[in-house]
Amino acid sequence: MITMSEPLDIHTHVETLYRDHHYWLHGWLRKKLGDTHQAADLTHDTFMRVISSRQIHETITEPRAFLTTLAKRVLYTFWRRSELEQIWRDVLANETETFALSTEDYAIVREAVEAIDRLLNGLPLRVRQAFLMRTLDGMTHADIAKALHISIASVERYMKQAFLHCYHARHLLDMS
């Protein structure tokens, strides 16, 4: 059990958590991914989340359960981004050479897609789908309702929720 007794002692507790569980977490992620280098990157990302976690200021009674929860979130984000990258590569592969991107342009587009993904992170799947259908595909609310098998009123509610989420997320980014 790791107890956060003094705010100034947080760094020591994070260091202890890292020292005691880094190797175990890396092995757990390596088994999930089948790639030791990617597991190392995601282990690092997980401990970065530990550092930014509000729970680190409290008592962590089950450090491995805590780390597993954070690692699953990191893993989910990794898989979602990998899926987005694969979709992007598939789109590019089907385009003509006139649409071919330089390495720099590809990096810029990838960064933009990741920024959009981060912005929409936290929205329910259906809300995100409706928002992307409207903004990227230009579908009408009626078309979205038909495609998702929901009412037009639900689409309008989803769009409002997505716009408010983006506004608040953007506002928070501007404040930092």
Side-chain angles (χ1 to χ4, degrees):
M1 176 166 82
I2 298 174
T3 305
M4 304 299 167
S5 54
E6 300 176 25
L8 297 176
D9 209 25
I10 289 174
H11 297 292
T12 304
H13 293 296
V14 171
E15 185 179 321
T16 302
L17 186 67
Y18 184 88
R19 185 184 61 246
D20 292 349
H21 301 286
H22 175 269
Y23 183 77
W24 168 82
L25 182 61
H26 180 264
W28 185 84
L29 284 165
R30 189 179 60 244
K31 287 177 187 172
K32 295 282 184 193
L33 294 164
D35 180 345
T36 191
H37 300 294
Q38 195 62 56
D41 287 345
L42 296 187
T43 300
H44 170 79
D45 292 349
T46 301
F47 278 100
M48 290 304 294
R49 286 204 182 185
V50 167
I51 291 168
S52 64
S53 172
R54 280 179 265 144
Q55 191 171 352
I56 200 67
H57 299 281
E58 303 168 4
T59 300
I60 300 173
T61 56
E62 297 291 333
R64 288 191 176 181
F66 173 69
L67 288 171
T68 301
T69 299
L70 291 179
K72 284 179 180 177
R73 292 175 186 160
V74 167
L75 199 54
Y76 174 74
T77 301
F78 169 75
W79 283 331
R80 191 174 67 229
R81 284 193 181 139
S82 295
E83 185 179 326
L84 283 171
E85 286 178 18
Q86 185 58 49
I87 290 168
W88 178 246
R89 282 192 292 271
D90 291 347
V91 166
L92 288 178
N94 292 328
E95 295 297 322
T96 63
E97 286 184 20
T98 58
F99 190 69
L101 294 176
S102 68
T103 305
E104 294 82 16
D105 289 340
Y106 176 78
I108 291 168
V109 169
R110 181 174 177 230
E111 203 172 291
V113 169
E114 287 180 3
I116 291 168
D117 183 51
R118 280 191 307 276
L119 188 65
L120 299 180
N121 189 25
L123 282 176
L125 177 62
R126 297 288 240 177
V127 175
R128 198 167 50 242
Q129 286 174 323
F131 181 77
L132 291 173
M133 288 174 155
R134 177 72 183 118
T135 55
L136 296 181
D137 300 331
M139 294 173 68
T140 66
H141 288 195
D143 292 337
I144 295 168
K146 186 176 179 180
L148 296 179
H149 306 291
I150 57 175
S151 68
I152 293 174
S154 291
V155 173
E156 291 169 354
R157 204 169 43 252
Y158 289 171
M159 294 303 295
K160 179 181 177 184
Q161 184 179 352
F163 282 123
L164 285 172
H165 177 84
C166 290
Y167 173 78
H168 291 298
R170 195 71 193 142
H171 181 69
L172 289 174
L173 288 175
D174 289 342
M175 290 177 58
S176 58

Coordinates of all heavy atoms in Angstrom, one line a residue, residues 24-72:
W24 N 6.9 -5.1 -13.9 CA 5.7 -5.9 -14.1 C 4.7 -5.3 -15.1 O 4.2 -6.0 -16.0 CB 5.0 -6.0 -12.7 CG 3.6 -6.5 -12.8 CD1 3.2 -7.8 -12.9 CD2 2.4 -5.7 -13.0 NE1 1.8 -7.8 -13.1 CE2 1.3 -6.6 -13.1 CE3 2.1 -4.3 -13.0 CZ2 0.0 -6.1 -13.3 CZ3 0.8 -3.9 -13.2 CH2 -0.2 -4.8 -13.3
L25 N 4.6 -4.0 -15.1 CA 3.7 -3.3 -16.0 C 4.2 -3.5 -17.5 O 3.4 -3.8 -18.4 CB 3.5 -1.9 -15.7 CG 2.5 -1.1 -16.6 CD1 1.1 -1.7 -16.5 CD2 2.5 0.4 -16.2
H26 N 5.5 -3.3 -17.7 CA 6.0 -3.5 -19.0 C 5.8 -4.9 -19.5 O 5.4 -5.1 -20.7 CB 7.6 -3.3 -19.0 CG 8.2 -3.4 -20.3 ND1 8.8 -4.6 -20.7 CD2 8.3 -2.6 -21.4 CE1 9.3 -4.5 -21.9 NE2 9.0 -3.3 -22.3
G27 N 5.9 -6.0 -18.6 CA 5.6 -7.3 -19.0 C 4.2 -7.5 -19.4 O 3.8 -8.2 -20.3
W28 N 3.3 -6.9 -18.6 CA 1.8 -7.0 -18.8 C 1.5 -6.4 -20.2 O 0.8 -7.1 -21.0 CB 1.1 -6.3 -17.7 CG -0.4 -6.5 -17.8 CD1 -1.1 -7.5 -17.3 CD2 -1.3 -5.5 -18.3 NE1 -2.5 -7.3 -17.5 CE2 -2.6 -6.1 -18.2 CE3 -1.2 -4.3 -19.0 CZ2 -3.8 -5.4 -18.6 CZ3 -2.3 -3.7 -19.4 CH2 -3.6 -4.2 -19.2
L29 N 2.0 -5.3 -20.5 CA 1.8 -4.6 -21.8 C 2.4 -5.4 -22.9 O 1.9 -5.5 -24.0 CB 2.2 -3.2 -21.7 CG 1.3 -2.2 -21.0 CD1 2.0 -0.9 -20.7 CD2 0.0 -2.0 -21.7
R30 N 3.6 -5.9 -22.7 CA 4.3 -6.7 -23.7 C 3.4 -7.9 -24.2 O 3.3 -8.2 -25.3 CB 5.7 -7.1 -23.3 CG 6.5 -7.8 -24.3 CD 7.9 -8.2 -23.9 NE 7.8 -9.2 -22.8 CZ 8.2 -9.0 -21.5 NH1 8.8 -7.8 -21.2 NH2 8.1 -9.9 -20.6
K31 N 2.8 -8.6 -23.2 CA 1.9 -9.7 -23.5 C 0.7 -9.2 -24.3 O 0.3 -10.0 -25.2 CB 1.5 -10.4 -22.2 CG 2.6 -11.2 -21.5 CD 2.1 -11.8 -20.2 CE 3.2 -12.5 -19.5 NZ 2.8 -12.9 -18.1
K32 N 0.2 -8.1 -24.0 CA -1.0 -7.6 -24.7 C -0.6 -7.2 -26.1 O -1.4 -7.3 -27.1 CB -1.6 -6.3 -24.0 CG -2.1 -6.6 -22.6 CD -3.5 -7.3 -22.8 CE -4.1 -7.4 -21.4 NZ -5.3 -8.3 -21.4
L33 N 0.6 -6.6 -26.3 CA 0.9 -6.0 -27.6 C 1.8 -6.9 -28.5 O 1.8 -6.8 -29.7 CB 1.7 -4.7 -27.4 CG 0.9 -3.6 -26.8 CD1 1.8 -2.5 -26.3 CD2 -0.1 -3.0 -27.8
G34 N 2.6 -7.8 -27.8 CA 3.5 -8.6 -28.5 C 4.7 -7.9 -29.1 O 5.4 -8.3 -30.0
D35 N 5.0 -6.7 -28.5 CA 6.1 -5.9 -29.0 C 6.7 -5.2 -27.8 O 6.1 -4.3 -27.2 CB 5.5 -4.8 -30.0 CG 6.6 -3.9 -30.5 OD1 7.7 -3.8 -30.0 OD2 6.3 -3.2 -31.5
T36 N 7.9 -5.5 -27.5 CA 8.6 -5.0 -26.3 C 8.8 -3.5 -26.4 O 8.7 -2.8 -25.4 CB 9.9 -5.7 -26.0 OG1 10.3 -5.3 -24.7 CG2 11.0 -5.5 -27.0
H37 N 9.1 -3.0 -27.6 CA 9.4 -1.5 -27.8 C 8.1 -0.7 -27.6 O 8.1 0.3 -26.9 CB 10.0 -1.2 -29.1 CG 11.3 -1.9 -29.3 ND1 12.4 -1.7 -28.6 CD2 11.7 -3.0 -30.2 CE1 13.4 -2.5 -29.0 NE2 13.0 -3.3 -29.9
Q38 N 7.0 -1.2 -28.2 CA 5.7 -0.5 -28.0 C 5.3 -0.6 -26.6 O 4.7 0.4 -26.0 CB 4.7 -1.1 -28.9 CG 3.5 -0.2 -29.1 CD 3.8 1.1 -29.7 OE1 4.3 1.2 -30.8 NE2 3.4 2.2 -29.0
A39 N 5.5 -1.7 -25.9 CA 5.2 -1.9 -24.5 C 6.0 -0.9 -23.6 O 5.4 -0.3 -22.7 CB 5.5 -3.3 -24.0
A40 N 7.2 -0.7 -24.0 CA 8.0 0.3 -23.2 C 7.4 1.7 -23.4 O 7.3 2.5 -22.4 CB 9.5 0.3 -23.7
D41 N 7.0 2.1 -24.6 CA 6.4 3.4 -24.8 C 5.1 3.5 -24.0 O 4.9 4.6 -23.4 CB 6.1 3.6 -26.3 CG 7.3 3.8 -27.2 OD1 8.4 4.1 -26.6 OD2 7.2 3.7 -28.4
L42 N 4.3 2.5 -24.1 CA 3.0 2.6 -23.3 C 3.2 2.5 -21.8 O 2.4 3.1 -21.1 CB 2.0 1.5 -23.8 CG 1.6 1.6 -25.3 CD1 0.5 0.6 -25.7 CD2 1.2 3.1 -25.7
T43 N 4.2 1.8 -21.4 CA 4.6 1.8 -19.9 C 4.9 3.3 -19.5 O 4.4 3.8 -18.5 CB 5.7 0.9 -19.6 OG1 5.4 -0.4 -20.0 CG2 6.1 0.9 -18.2
H44 N 5.7 3.9 -20.3 CA 6.1 5.3 -20.1 C 4.8 6.2 -20.1 O 4.6 7.0 -19.1 CB 7.0 5.8 -21.2 CG 7.3 7.3 -21.1 ND1 8.1 7.9 -20.2 CD2 6.7 8.3 -21.9 CE1 8.1 9.2 -20.4 NE2 7.3 9.5 -21.4
D45 N 3.9 6.0 -21.0 CA 2.7 6.8 -21.1 C 1.8 6.6 -19.9 O 1.2 7.5 -19.4 CB 1.9 6.5 -22.4 CG 2.6 6.9 -23.6 OD1 3.6 7.7 -23.6 OD2 2.2 6.5 -24.7
T46 N 1.8 5.3 -19.4 CA 1.0 5.0 -18.2 C 1.5 5.7 -17.0 O 0.8 6.3 -16.2 CB 1.0 3.5 -18.0 OG1 0.4 2.8 -19.1 CG2 0.2 3.1 -16.7
F47 N 2.9 5.7 -16.8 CA 3.4 6.4 -15.7 C 3.3 8.0 -15.8 O 3.2 8.7 -14.8 CB 4.9 6.0 -15.4 CG 4.9 4.7 -14.6 CD1 5.2 3.5 -15.3 CD2 4.7 4.7 -13.3 CE1 5.2 2.4 -14.5 CE2 4.8 3.6 -12.5 CZ 5.0 2.4 -13.2
M48 N 3.2 8.5 -17.0 CA 2.9 9.9 -17.2 C 1.5 10.2 -16.7 O 1.2 11.2 -16.1 CB 3.1 10.3 -18.7 CG 4.5 10.3 -19.2 SD 5.6 11.3 -18.2 CE 4.9 13.0 -18.6
R49 N 0.6 9.2 -17.0 CA -0.8 9.4 -16.4 C -0.8 9.3 -14.9 O -1.6 10.0 -14.3 CB -1.7 8.4 -17.0 CG -2.1 8.7 -18.5 CD -3.4 8.1 -18.9 NE -3.6 8.4 -20.3 CZ -4.7 8.0 -20.9 NH1 -5.7 7.4 -20.2 NH2 -4.9 8.3 -22.1
V50 N 0.1 8.5 -14.4 CA 0.2 8.4 -12.9 C 0.5 9.8 -12.3 O -0.1 10.3 -11.4 CB 1.2 7.4 -12.5 CG1 1.6 7.5 -11.0 CG2 0.8 5.9 -12.8
I51 N 1.5 10.4 -13.0 CA 2.0 11.7 -12.5 C 0.9 12.7 -12.6 O 0.7 13.6 -11.7 CB 3.2 12.2 -13.3 CG1 4.4 11.2 -13.0 CG2 3.6 13.6 -13.1 CD1 5.6 11.4 -13.9
S52 N 0.1 12.7 -13.6 CA -1.0 13.7 -13.7 C -2.3 13.3 -13.1 O -3.3 14.0 -13.1 CB -1.3 14.0 -15.2 OG -1.7 12.8 -15.9
S53 N -2.3 12.1 -12.5 CA -3.6 11.6 -11.8 C -3.9 12.3 -10.5 O -3.0 12.5 -9.7 CB -3.4 10.1 -11.5 OG -4.5 9.6 -10.8
R54 N -5.1 12.6 -10.3 CA -5.5 13.2 -9.0 C -5.4 12.2 -7.9 O -5.3 12.5 -6.8 CB -7.0 13.7 -9.1 CG -7.0 15.0 -9.8 CD -8.5 15.5 -9.9 NE -8.9 15.1 -11.3 CZ -10.1 14.7 -11.6 NH1 -11.0 14.6 -10.6 NH2 -10.4 14.3 -12.8
Q55 N -5.6 10.9 -8.3 CA -5.6 9.8 -7.2 C -4.2 9.6 -6.6 O -4.1 9.1 -5.5 CB -6.0 8.5 -7.9 CG -6.3 7.4 -6.8 CD -7.0 6.2 -7.4 OE1 -7.4 6.2 -8.6 NE2 -7.1 5.2 -6.6
I56 N -3.2 10.1 -7.2 CA -1.8 10.0 -6.7 C -1.7 10.8 -5.4 O -0.8 10.5 -4.5 CB -0.7 10.4 -7.7 CG1 0.6 9.8 -7.3 CG2 -0.6 11.9 -7.8 CD1 0.7 8.3 -7.4
H57 N -2.6 11.7 -5.1 CA -2.6 12.5 -3.9 C -3.3 11.8 -2.8 O -3.4 12.3 -1.7 CB -3.2 13.9 -4.1 CG -2.5 14.7 -5.2 ND1 -1.3 15.3 -4.9 CD2 -2.7 14.9 -6.5 CE1 -0.9 15.9 -6.0 NE2 -1.7 15.7 -6.9
E58 N -3.9 10.6 -3.1 CA -4.7 9.8 -2.1 C -3.9 8.5 -1.8 O -2.8 8.3 -2.3 CB -6.1 9.5 -2.6 CG -6.8 10.8 -3.0 CD -8.1 10.4 -3.8 OE1 -8.4 9.2 -4.0 OE2 -8.7 11.4 -4.3
T59 N -4.5 7.7 -1.1 CA -4.0 6.4 -0.8 C -4.3 5.4 -1.9 O -5.4 5.3 -2.4 CB -4.6 5.8 0.5 OG1 -4.3 6.7 1.6 CG2 -4.0 4.4 0.9
I60 N -3.2 4.7 -2.4 CA -3.4 3.7 -3.4 C -3.2 2.4 -2.7 O -2.1 2.0 -2.4 CB -2.4 3.9 -4.6 CG1 -2.6 5.3 -5.2 CG2 -2.5 2.8 -5.6 CD1 -1.5 5.6 -6.2
T61 N -4.3 1.7 -2.5 CA -4.2 0.4 -1.7 C -3.8 -0.7 -2.6 O -3.2 -1.7 -2.1 CB -5.5 0.1 -1.0 OG1 -6.6 0.1 -2.0 CG2 -5.8 1.1 0.0
E62 N -4.2 -0.7 -3.9 CA -3.8 -1.7 -4.8 C -3.1 -1.1 -6.0 O -3.7 -0.8 -7.1 CB -5.1 -2.4 -5.3 CG -5.9 -3.1 -4.3 CD -5.2 -4.4 -3.7 OE1 -4.4 -5.0 -4.5 OE2 -5.4 -4.7 -2.6
P63 N -1.8 -1.0 -5.9 CA -1.0 -0.3 -7.0 C -1.1 -1.0 -8.3 O -1.2 -0.3 -9.3 CB 0.4 -0.3 -6.5 CG 0.4 -0.8 -5.1 CD -0.9 -1.4 -4.8
R64 N -1.1 -2.3 -8.4 CA -1.2 -3.0 -9.7 C -2.6 -2.8 -10.3 O -2.7 -2.7 -11.5 CB -0.8 -4.5 -9.5 CG 0.7 -4.6 -9.3 CD 1.1 -6.0 -9.4 NE 2.6 -6.1 -9.3 CZ 3.3 -7.1 -9.4 NH1 2.7 -8.3 -9.6 NH2 4.6 -7.1 -9.2
A65 N -3.6 -2.8 -9.5 CA -5.0 -2.6 -10.1 C -5.0 -1.1 -10.6 O -5.6 -0.9 -11.7 CB -6.0 -2.8 -9.0
F66 N -4.5 -0.2 -9.8 CA -4.4 1.2 -10.3 C -3.7 1.3 -11.6 O -4.2 1.9 -12.5 CB -3.8 2.0 -9.2 CG -3.5 3.5 -9.5 CD1 -4.6 4.3 -9.7 CD2 -2.2 3.9 -9.7 CE1 -4.3 5.7 -10.0 CE2 -2.0 5.3 -10.0 CZ -3.0 6.1 -10.1
L67 N -2.5 0.7 -11.7 CA -1.7 0.8 -12.9 C -2.4 0.1 -14.0 O -2.3 0.5 -15.2 CB -0.3 0.2 -12.6 CG 0.6 1.0 -11.8 CD1 1.9 0.3 -11.4 CD2 0.9 2.4 -12.4
T68 N -3.0 -1.0 -13.8 CA -3.7 -1.8 -14.8 C -4.9 -0.9 -15.4 O -5.0 -0.9 -16.6 CB -4.3 -3.1 -14.3 OG1 -3.2 -3.9 -13.8 CG2 -5.0 -3.9 -15.4
T69 N -5.6 -0.2 -14.6 CA -6.7 0.6 -15.0 C -6.1 1.7 -15.9 O -6.7 2.0 -17.0 CB -7.4 1.2 -13.8 OG1 -8.0 0.2 -13.1 CG2 -8.5 2.2 -14.3
L70 N -5.1 2.4 -15.5 CA -4.5 3.4 -16.3 C -3.9 2.9 -17.6 O -4.0 3.5 -18.7 CB -3.4 4.2 -15.5 CG -3.8 5.0 -14.4 CD1 -2.6 5.7 -13.7 CD2 -4.8 6.1 -14.8
A71 N -3.2 1.7 -17.5 CA -2.6 1.1 -18.7 C -3.7 0.7 -19.7 O -3.5 0.8 -20.9 CB -1.8 -0.1 -18.3
K72 N -4.8 0.2 -19.2 CA -5.9 -0.1 -20.2 C -6.4 1.1 -20.9 O -6.7 1.0 -22.1 CB -7.1 -0.8 -19.4 CG -6.8 -2.2 -19.0 CD -8.0 -2.8 -18.3 CE -7.7 -4.2 -17.8 NZ -8.9 -4.8 -17.1

